Amino acid sequence: MTYIGRFAPSPSGRLHFGSVVAAVGSYLRAKSQDGKWLIRIEDLDTPRCPIGTAEIILQELDALGLKSDGEILIQSQRKKIYEKALNTLLDEKQAFFCTCTRAELSQRPCSCYLDAKSNFPHASVRFKPLNGYKPSFHDELKGDIKVNLPDKFITLKRSDGIIAYNLACVIDDALCHVTEIVRGSDLIDVTPIQISLFNALHYKVPYFLHLPLALEQNGSKLSKQNHAKAIFDVLTVQEILIAVLQFLGQNTNQLNKSMDVNSILSFAVENFRLDKIPAASSVVPDNLF
């Protein structure tokens, strides 16, 4: 079976060091196994995605030598696909319309799933796994993982009509035949949710590999929400790649910033070692955040 990996940034801001770690890590994992690497733009939460940011991200990935081996998927153009899957889950009674507000759910459990009514104006749609969640899964880097399960019901479509991350992510990974999901460790807790959705939609469950997070001095992860610096404003393309490879524990002894991008990537792919990637997240230098 051909290995297929992917990188799926949200265009809420430009690439920072942490997002490039996920991009390069997933790329090396795929290419070291003679596999394919895909790019997907997760722009369904349109209020959080400034116009033009997706194009900038794609330009930055291209500058790093990270090119998709297939069509670049834009989630905002795939809403009909998600709605079809959502209707399947509703028909199979694994999803239900919910009119509870966040304030109400903080005070009591949701009971909307007990109501036989169909649609409600401005209702969200939530997921009700028939067989519950399994809190454990195997991570190809960290080994067996057990997480604290989230709320009993997971939102699939928000009351404002936006398809939720977990549903769109699972559908796209399945339809693109992604064999392994390589991403940051901040998404470990949603993995059991997504495995449940893969099963509910009768999709094959891929393997999972969660990379270490790049942290600030205070222990917070580098993120757009925490106003992490755009990495292209801090380092050259060569410096970015070498810094990411060092963060991932890879051999950089023969690399320098005068080399061209393709030479750096070729060396990195040829010498990629999964067992050298640290399982734990770590703080990065001040100039990177």
Side-chain angles (χ1 to χ4, degrees):
M1 180 184 297
T2 301
Y3 180 103
I4 300 179
R6 51 71 158 177
F7 175 58
S10 171
S12 55
R14 292 174 60 196
L15 295 177
H16 54 78
F17 184 77
S19 51
V20 178
V21 166
V24 172
S26 59
Y27 179 89
L28 295 181
R29 176 68 166 163
K31 294 301 179 179
S32 66
Q33 300 186 68
D34 296 321
K36 295 181 179 180
W37 185 76
L38 306 175
I39 297 174
R40 178 171 78 234
I41 299 297
E42 298 191 335
D43 62 342
L44 286 171
D45 195 351
T46 50
R48 295 181 57 247
C49 300
I51 295 174
T53 306
E55 289 76 12
I56 294 173
I57 288 175
L58 292 174
Q59 291 169 6
E60 292 176 337
L61 290 173
D62 189 68
L64 290 166
L66 306 178
K67 304 178 189 298
S68 181
D69 291 315
E71 176 189 3
I72 296 174
L73 293 191
I74 310 297
Q75 286 192 332
S76 59
Q77 300 173 2
R78 296 169 59 80
K79 295 178 182 178
K80 290 183 179 179
I81 296 173
Y82 309 138
E83 290 286 352
K84 182 178 179 181
L86 191 66
N87 287 331
T88 296
L89 292 172
L90 286 165
D91 290 343
E92 295 181 357
K93 309 301 182 184
Q94 291 211 87
F96 61 93
F97 292 97
C98 175
T99 57
C100 299
T101 64
R102 288 186 179 182
E104 290 171 340
L105 291 175
S106 68
Q107 300 294 323
R108 58 166 177 75
C110 173
S111 60
C112 293
Y113 70 99
L114 298 174
D115 197 319
K117 295 180 182 179
S118 55
N119 201 348
F120 297 90
H122 310 296
S124 60
V125 180
R126 307 189 80 190
F127 178 52
K128 177 179 179 291
L130 294 181
N131 298 317
Y133 299 129
K134 294 182 179 178
S136 300
F137 69 95
H138 181 77
D139 184 280
E140 297 300 307
L141 176 65
K142 301 173 182 294
D144 293 334
I145 300 288
K146 185 174 183 179
V147 303
N148 293 323
L149 293 179
D151 293 337
K152 183 177 180 181
F153 304 122
I154 305 302
T155 300
L156 300 180
K157 184 178 181 179
R158 298 180 349 195
S159 58
D160 59 5
I162 292 177
I163 297 293
Y165 162 74
N166 284 312
L167 179 62
C169 178
V170 164
I171 292 170
D172 286 339
D173 284 332
L175 297 185
C176 290
H177 307 290
V178 171
T179 58
E180 182 176 66
I181 295 173
V182 179
R183 58 190 180 188
S185 292
D186 53 324
L187 293 168
I188 281 179
D189 286 349
V190 304
T191 302
I193 298 169
Q194 294 183 356
I195 290 173
S196 294
L197 278 168
F198 275 108
N199 289 326
L201 290 166
H202 312 293
Y203 293 144
K204 183 176 181 179
V205 179
Y207 295 101
F208 292 88
L209 193 163
H210 292 86
L211 298 168
L213 299 178
L215 305 177
E216 299 182 16
Q217 293 288 348
N218 62 7
S220 300
K221 72 163 184 169
L222 291 187
S223 67
K224 296 161 189 171
Q225 291 88 347
N226 292 334
H227 309 292
K229 293 178 182 177
I231 194 61
F232 274 75
D233 291 342
V234 179
L235 302 176
T236 66
V237 174
Q238 291 86 350
E239 288 171 337
I240 293 170
L241 288 173
I242 292 172
V244 167
L245 291 171
Q246 290 172 341
F247 181 82
L248 291 172
Q250 302 301 297
N251 178 11
T252 61
N253 291 339
Q254 299 180 41
L255 302 179
N256 62 74
K257 60 184 181 181
S258 66
M259 298 174 66
D260 65 83
V261 166
N262 290 333
S263 296
I264 293 175
L265 283 178
S266 295
F267 178 87
V269 169
E270 183 178 347
N271 293 274
F272 177 72
R273 291 277 303 275
L274 178 61
D275 62 334
K276 294 296 183 181
I277 298 179
S281 302
S282 60
V283 174
V284 297
D286 291 354
N287 67 310
L288 298 181
F289 59 82

